[in-house]
Amino acid sequence: MDPYQYLADFESKANQMQEQLEQSQEAFSNARGEASSSDGSVTVTVAGGGGIESIDLTARSLELGHTKLASTIMETIRQAQSQAARQVEESMKPLLGDGEAMNFLSEQVEASIARMQPDDEDSAASGGRPGSADEAEPDEYDEWQQRRRRGGTS
């Protein structure tokens, strides 16, 4: 084999890998997840690493009560983080290809998403819906909020 051709091929492959790496890094850094709750009261944006960038609440969120609002925020965060994790996974495909490394990454993403989901016991205790266990007996703050919305004071 011609050593000059070998070096030229090697350099070409190295340049290709460098381009793929740069593209993957850019896609990774641009990965974002955004999710909205089913009622539209909460919208969350997270970065590719899962860090929360923003939480937007609509006026509807004030009607939920603090327990339901908290569970709605948490569920929406989980949805956005799952979306961002899948984007990160996709950003690595050009670099990793369809081999063992990509399979490993996919398994790790799936495991992380599974860990983000609430325990079945928590869901069953609340009647299958986040926050529903406390909705039967609103606390003093929720009652105060309801009176306030109706125009009452104190």
Side-chain angles (χ1 to χ4, degrees):
M1 174 181 263
D2 178 14
Y4 295 107
Q5 184 61 45
Y6 178 81
L7 285 174
D9 290 346
F10 182 80
E11 185 176 343
S12 174
K13 287 180 183 178
N15 287 337
Q16 248 182 337
M17 287 179 66
Q18 180 65 33
E19 287 176 25
Q20 287 176 333
L21 177 62
E22 289 170 4
Q23 289 171 356
S24 290
Q25 285 175 331
E26 184 175 344
F28 183 91
S29 67
N30 290 331
R32 298 279 180 278
E34 183 174 296
S36 293
S37 60
S38 59
D39 64 0
S41 62
V42 177
T43 300
V44 175
T45 304
V46 299
I52 299 168
E53 291 186 335
S54 69
I55 298 177
D56 296 315
L57 306 174
T58 66
R60 164 89 174 97
S61 67
L62 296 175
E63 299 169 8
L64 298 177
H66 74 281
T67 302
K68 177 69 175 167
L69 178 58
S71 65
T72 300
I73 290 171
M74 291 303 296
E75 176 58 29
T76 308
I77 288 170
R78 284 188 207 80
Q79 291 171 8
Q81 287 173 329
S82 296
Q83 189 182 88
R86 295 206 190 284
Q87 283 185 19
V88 167
E89 178 183 6
E90 285 298 313
S91 75
M92 298 305 291
K93 271 188 179 177
L95 189 63
L96 300 178
D98 289 328
E100 287 297 314
M102 190 64 209
N103 290 341
F104 178 76
L105 177 62
S106 295
E107 290 170 5
Q108 297 307 305
V109 167
E110 290 303 318
S112 283
I113 289 171
R115 281 192 303 270
M116 284 190 269
Q117 301 308 315
D119 292 340
D120 289 339
E121 293 174 10
D122 295 342
S123 182
S126 65
R129 289 186 340 212
S132 64
D134 292 330
E135 289 175 14
E137 296 181 35
D139 67 12
E140 292 177 22
Y141 180 78
D142 289 335
E143 291 172 359
W144 175 81
Q145 282 287 77
Q146 289 172 0
R147 284 193 307 272
R148 194 171 140 247
R149 282 193 291 274
R150 289 190 299 255
T153 56
S154 75

